[in-house]
């Protein structure tokens, strides 16, 4: 049985990934930080990436066979306010984990982001040059570089995803679902493009990438890109909610603190070729989101949060 270390297992991706991996027969060890999980069906341990000696000690004690680093300061506005903390967690700690994984001779996936691009081009390939606009994105790019330097065999998986979370409010899908279910009007950006993958599909794909021993940078996204407004409309249609509550607006008219990239549509040819199959469409992702609501996954995730 593979002993899989999932950092950030109290976060949205980490929790979904840890639950799926556990179900698939991995022995999961989940690291958390400030949020202990309640009744998690896998072993958890708090490890603060701001404490470097504790990180190394905890890794040695864990003795994993594989590592997926989902932990991050992923709050864009918080990173803007505390850049030192963001760089420590997103860059330095990622590089330290990559070195530990190389010494232990285990495969590692570093989870990164499409925000490393400035969004002026779109249809980004792995070979395109990053140009991060805000502190969060700069710290994640520094994390990619630290990981690649310490451990050239590691996978750097650039992602963007939606799904059900422990707080019930973490993802864009939950933003639209919660507001539209309550009959509340919301804004949807018509000029911000992305290629989000349903988190369940992302988790499964990351495990497949580990199994196939891929290495290097990969774009792990839906095969289909769309605007955030269109995503909201398609989610409303999937759940039978009122799409007319979504007001189409320009992101340039919003008051976001940190600068955001506008066109983050991503090219997934490299990963589709490596896996020998297409990545899911938006319709497939939204159906899976719906099916996981019906199967009780949303409740299960909410119950992990105290
Ligand atoms: N959400 C998205 O759509 C998106 C898009 C692109 C890329 N990503 C990347 O995907 C990954 C997962 O994102 P997410 O949305 O799942 O994040 P999230 O829900 O914000 O979770 C972040 C996780 O990191 C942990 N963490 C934060 N500070 C830490 C510290 N000092 N030491 C150790 N762990 C710490 C948190 O632990 P506690 O909660 O216990 O404190 C939590 O488990 C990140 O690498 C992020 O950059 C996310």
């Amino acid at each position: 049985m593979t002993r899989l270390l999932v950092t950030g297992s109290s976060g949205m991706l980490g929790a979904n990934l840890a639950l799926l991996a556990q179900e698939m027969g991995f022995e999961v060890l989940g690291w958390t930080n400030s949020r202990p999980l309640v009744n998690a069906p896998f072993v958890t341990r708090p490890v603060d990436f701001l404490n470097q000696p504790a990180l190394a000690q905890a890794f040695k004690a864990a003795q994993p066979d594989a590592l997926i680093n989902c932990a991050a300061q992923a709050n864009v506005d918080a990173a803007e306010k505390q850049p030192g903390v963001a760089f420590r967690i997103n860059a330095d700690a990622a590089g330290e984990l990559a070195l530990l994984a190389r010494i232990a001779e285990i495969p590692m996936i570093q989870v990164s982001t499409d925000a490393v691009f400035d969004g002026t081009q779109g249809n980004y390939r792995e070979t395109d040059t990053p140009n991060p606009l805000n502190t969060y994105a700069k710290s994640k790019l520094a994390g990619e570089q630290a990981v690649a330097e310490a451990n050239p065999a590691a996978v750097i998986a650039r992602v963007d995803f939606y799904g059900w979370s422990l707080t019930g409010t973490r993802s864009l899908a939950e933003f639209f679902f919660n507001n539209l279910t309550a009959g509340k009007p919301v804004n949807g950006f018509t000029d911000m493009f992305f290629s989000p993958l349903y988190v369940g599909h992302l988790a499964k794909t990351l495990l497949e990438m580990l199994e196939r021993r891929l290495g290097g940078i990969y774009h792990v996204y839906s095969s289909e890109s769309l605007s955030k407004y269109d995503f909201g409309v398609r989610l409303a249609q999937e759940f039978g909610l009122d799409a007319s509550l979504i007001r189409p607006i320009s992101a340039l008219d919003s008051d976001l603190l940190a600068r955001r990239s506008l066109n983050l549509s991503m090219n997934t040819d490299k990963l589709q070729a490596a896996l020998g199959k297409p990545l899911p469409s938006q319709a497939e992702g939204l159906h899976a989101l719906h099916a996981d609501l019906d199967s009780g996954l949303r409740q299960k995730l909410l119950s992990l949060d105290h």
Side-chain angles (χ1 to χ4, degrees):
M1 188 191 280
T2 303
R3 193 167 159 77
L4 175 66
L5 173 56
V6 178
T7 68
S9 67
S10 45
M12 182 170 154
L13 173 58
N16 278 278
L17 172 66
L19 286 177
L20 181 78
Q22 182 80 19
E23 269 173 36
M24 287 173 65
F26 287 83
E27 181 188 347
V28 175
L29 176 57
W31 283 2
T32 60
N33 179 40
S34 60
R35 195 171 19 189
L37 299 181
V38 182
N39 297 325
F42 47 87
V43 175
T44 63
R45 175 176 179 171
V47 179
D48 185 356
F49 283 15
L50 296 175
N51 181 343
Q52 184 182 10
L55 177 65
Q57 270 169 20
F59 183 90
K60 281 175 191 143
Q63 296 198 312
D65 301 315
L67 160 67
I68 303 184
N69 183 25
C70 304
Q73 171 48 280
N75 181 318
V76 176
D77 292 334
E80 211 58 47
K81 287 179 189 150
Q82 285 195 300
V85 172
F87 271 84
R88 167 69 209 143
I89 299 168
N90 296 347
D92 303 347
E96 284 153 24
L97 279 171
L99 183 61
L100 289 163
R102 195 185 83 195
I103 293 166
E105 298 181 345
I106 63 162
M108 167 182 182
I109 296 181
Q110 165 66 12
V111 177
S112 190
T113 174
D114 44 10
V116 296
F117 295 111
D118 60 18
T120 54
Q121 173 190 315
N123 193 29
Y124 285 105
R125 291 179 185 271
E126 289 81 351
T127 45
D128 286 323
T129 307
N131 181 30
L133 296 183
N134 57 46
T135 302
Y136 162 73
K138 285 176 187 164
S139 68
K140 291 295 291 184
L141 179 60
E144 290 189 359
Q145 290 159 347
V147 168
E149 199 171 302
N151 188 341
V155 168
I156 289 160
R158 294 191 180 132
V159 307
D160 194 6
F161 55 89
Y162 62 88
W164 305 115
S165 68
L166 279 77
T167 57
T169 57
R170 175 83 183 96
S171 84
L172 187 66
E174 292 171 311
F175 166 77
F176 283 120
F177 180 84
N178 294 342
N179 282 298
L180 298 182
T181 305
K184 291 188 189 158
V186 288
N187 292 332
F189 298 139
T190 52
D191 51 359
M192 219 180 216
F193 295 88
F194 67 156
S195 315
L197 192 57
Y198 172 55
V199 70
H201 290 152
L202 172 58
K204 214 169 168 184
T205 306
L206 292 175
L207 293 172
E208 211 171 324
M209 291 168 77
L210 260 190
E211 198 177 58
R212 287 175 180 251
R213 294 281 178 146
L214 301 184
I217 302 179
Y218 281 93
H219 288 175
V220 193
Y221 295 89
S222 165
S223 53
E224 207 182 327
S225 308
L226 74 181
S227 73
K228 297 210 169 178
Y229 169 76
D230 284 333
F231 178 78
V233 169
R234 290 178 70 169
L235 180 140
Q237 288 163 348
E238 170 65 39
F239 287 94
L241 297 166
D242 182 1
S244 71
L245 289 168
I246 309 172
R247 193 164 66 100
I249 67 156
S250 166
L252 302 174
D253 295 335
S254 71
D255 54 359
L256 298 170
L257 172 66
R259 285 180 70 202
R260 305 302 208 274
S261 308
L262 284 182
N263 187 347
L264 289 179
S265 57
M266 303 296 279
N267 185 298
T268 53
D269 288 352
K270 183 182 175 189
L271 182 57
Q272 296 192 104
L275 297 177
K277 61 180 182 188
L279 285 151
S281 64
Q282 292 302 331
E284 286 170 306
L286 288 166
H287 287 330
L289 178 78
H290 199 163
D292 276 345
L293 175 69
D294 293 345
S295 74
L297 179 64
R298 184 184 187 213
Q299 280 312 317
K300 197 174 192 174
L301 286 159
L302 290 171
S303 73
L304 291 178
D305 204 17
H306 55 286

